[in-house]
Amino acid sequence: MKTVDVGQVLDEGRWTAYQKLLIAGTALTIILDGVDNQLLPNAQREIAAEWHIQTANLANALAAGPFGMMIGGVLGGWLGDRIGRRAALLGSAFVFGLLTIGIAFINDAQTLLILRLLAGIGLGGAMPNAAALASEYVPRRSRPFAVTLTIVCIPLGGFVAAWLAETIIGPYGWRNLFVVGGLIPIALSVFLFLILPESPRFLARDRARWPGLRTLLRKMGHDIPADAEFIDSASLQAGTKTSGSMSDLFRPAFRWDTIGLFGAFFFCLMANYIGFQRLRPLTEQVIGFASPFGNRALQYLNLGGVAGAIIGALIIQRLGSRITMLGLSALSVVVALMMALHVPKPGDVFMALVMFAIIGALLNAVQTTMYALAAHVYPVEIRGTGVGTAVAVGRIGNVLAVYVADYSIRVAGAPGYFMSWVVTMALVLVSLALVRRHIGRSEEEPVLATH
């Protein structure tokens, strides 16, 4: 009988085609995050016109989704540490889909707010569990890239939402946009239920699930004996079981990392959703671009984000996360300041789209790689809780983004809007500097200390 250290097998093993397929499956669920957060921003003008209200009257409904995701992130991370990453992830996607379809049948802003809140709670659990699942499928050296490739689907989902809005709203109406936006996650969750396995490190905790773990590890290319028993050395080094509570995140070994991550998630999600939620009204109603330029601007913001996130992940593999993420944050401050001083002009559509693509690349590169950083900082016992709580704190910034954007525009117009990016990303830079356990080229698996 052989004892197999499942953590060591995964961390030091190959990254096989099957593992890459699992990452792709996990990434598909994260497209939903981008779709969810940008369906309503892309449809807000048409909804307001039908209901005879101003787009500003939809601000609370725009904020309700991320507020629900804040709650769902904490609950989803906690559930993932207990019932499994896979169950929490797919359950989140299914519930979100049902509630999103419900939006197609309502006629007032108050009901919209309630459904957006509930849909946000449903989807909120997806993000921390997807990040934890992706980090636990692959070798340590490939973990930052795998997690970032998963989270990069947020701006990809935003691009899909903008494309769907442009394709569906005109000929078929905004209600059908939400029907399609709800059917996609329902179909996806059913499909992934059939093919997506649980985290190997989570399966290792339960002897009754070891037969399934042996099969899974063999699919990943590892030679596992039929009578193998499993341990996870990182968990054993802790010497005790943990409740997985938020208090574990503030133990001395993780305190400054947690504080830094909380600040970074808060301000970076605020910066990104200042763009996602109010870029269309800014460009069309404040600066003066002709409709549907706002949809195109959102598409370029998101496409830039996809490219930036992938490039950021590749740089992290060579230089580590400290230099990469601090450098990207500083560069985003510089670019946003240039946009504030030289506001894009309606007569130069090409240059405006280029600038939105560049700032989108920088903002999303920092945001997406933060999930890899959070998954790296915390050990497996509290990884779901740690990532989920950091994301939940970030959702507070997400909630406030629409109000910050509206206030900035009201006080200082378009330059004020772009200056809000300058301020928020400068605070991201400070927060990331506080994190001590950045991703390096030879990092060890973090251990939950007993004191």
Side-chain angles (χ1 to χ4, degrees):
M1 183 178 297
K2 181 179 179 181
T3 299
V4 175
D5 184 343
V6 67
Q8 185 178 15
V9 165
L10 291 169
D11 285 347
E12 307 303 330
R14 295 180 296 121
W15 191 10
T16 64
Y18 178 66
Q19 287 166 290
K20 293 173 184 176
L21 180 63
L22 297 183
I23 294 298
T26 305
L28 286 175
T29 64
I30 301 306
I31 289 179
L32 304 179
D33 187 287
V35 169
D36 168 65
N37 274 292
Q38 296 189 53
L39 282 179
L40 183 55
N42 278 286
Q44 59 185 307
R45 192 180 69 173
E46 288 75 17
I47 294 174
E50 180 180 316
W51 293 351
H52 305 292
I53 60 176
Q54 299 295 318
T55 54
N57 296 123
L58 297 174
N60 290 337
L62 282 166
F67 183 78
M69 294 182 78
M70 175 185 69
I71 299 170
V74 175
L75 293 177
W78 181 84
L79 281 173
D81 284 338
R82 283 156 181 77
I83 68 172
R85 324 293 194 207
R86 172 179 176 269
L89 173 63
L90 300 184
S92 295
F94 189 84
V95 170
F96 158 72
L98 289 176
L99 291 164
T100 298
I101 290 175
I103 293 175
F105 300 96
I106 64 174
N107 294 290
D108 64 275
Q110 187 62 36
T111 308
L112 175 63
L113 184 152
I114 294 170
L115 285 179
R116 288 287 299 141
L117 175 66
L118 295 176
I121 294 174
L123 185 60
M127 183 66 67
N129 285 294
L133 203 56
S135 73
E136 294 169 13
Y137 278 154
V138 300
R140 184 190 299 124
R141 64 183 177 276
S142 304
R143 188 175 296 157
F145 190 62
V147 174
T148 302
L149 282 182
T150 301
I151 308 303
V152 76
C153 288
I154 297 174
L156 183 59
F159 172 79
V160 170
W163 177 79
L164 286 174
E166 192 173 359
T167 303
I168 295 174
I169 291 178
Y172 305 108
W174 68 265
R175 296 179 185 275
N176 283 305
L177 175 65
F178 286 91
V179 171
V180 174
L183 288 174
I184 291 172
I186 291 174
L188 184 61
S189 60
V190 172
F191 171 70
L192 292 178
F193 179 81
L194 301 174
I195 67 169
L196 198 66
E198 183 53 85
S199 158
R201 302 186 76 152
F202 187 87
L203 293 175
R205 299 181 186 181
D206 185 356
R207 179 179 289 269
R209 304 182 75 172
W210 283 1
L213 176 57
R214 295 186 189 101
T215 301
L216 175 58
L217 290 175
R218 288 171 188 151
K219 285 184 178 180
M220 291 181 171
H222 302 291
D223 184 17
I224 305 297
D227 61 347
E229 294 191 347
F230 296 96
I231 61 169
D232 188 344
S233 58
S235 297
L236 290 178
Q237 288 176 47
T240 185
K241 290 190 177 292
T242 173
S243 63
S245 68
M246 282 191 286
S247 62
D248 291 321
L249 308 181
F250 290 93
R251 294 189 181 192
F254 303 108
R255 186 174 299 144
W256 282 107
D257 296 314
T258 296
I259 293 171
L261 284 172
F262 281 9
F265 269 91
F266 179 90
F267 290 111
C268 198
L269 276 167
M270 178 182 288
N272 274 277
Y273 284 94
I274 283 171
F276 295 150
Q277 294 180 333
R278 281 302 192 234
L279 187 59
R280 187 182 180 191
L282 172 86
T283 55
E284 295 179 3
Q285 298 172 19
V286 179
I287 300 179
F289 285 91
S291 179
F293 177 84
N295 289 121
R296 292 181 65 194
L298 280 170
Q299 290 179 31
Y300 275 74
L301 190 76
N302 283 290
L303 282 177
V306 173
I310 294 173
I311 292 170
L314 291 171
I315 297 173
I316 283 177
Q317 285 192 310
R318 289 186 170 273
L319 302 180
S321 64
R322 181 178 295 278
I323 293 175
T324 303
M325 298 179 75
L326 295 181
L328 289 169
S329 298
L331 192 55
S332 68
V333 171
V334 172
V335 172
L337 183 59
M338 291 174 58
M339 296 180 77
L341 296 175
H342 305 282
V343 174
K345 293 180 171 55
D348 196 348
V349 172
F350 174 77
M351 182 55 65
L353 291 176
V354 169
M355 292 303 295
F356 288 128
I358 292 172
I359 193 66
L362 294 168
L363 297 180
N364 278 285
V366 178
Q367 179 190 331
T368 52
T369 50
M370 280 198 302
Y371 293 90
L373 178 60
H376 168 81
V377 162
Y378 300 112
V380 64
E381 300 94 335
I382 58 170
R383 185 166 289 146
T385 300
V387 177
T389 307
V391 173
V393 171
R395 293 298 178 193
I396 301 174
N398 191 165
V399 170
L400 296 175
V402 65
Y403 303 111
V404 171
D406 286 350
Y407 176 79
S408 301
I409 294 171
R410 189 165 59 249
V411 171
Y417 177 91
F418 296 123
M419 280 302 299
S420 69
W421 276 339
V422 174
V423 174
T424 50
M425 290 310 296
L427 291 168
V428 170
L429 176 63
V430 173
S431 299
L432 288 171
L434 294 177
V435 177
R436 298 184 303 176
R437 192 176 282 101
H438 270 274
I439 299 168
R441 298 178 64 180
S442 59
E443 298 285 351
E444 297 297 326
E445 179 72 24
V447 175
L448 185 68
T450 60
H451 52 78

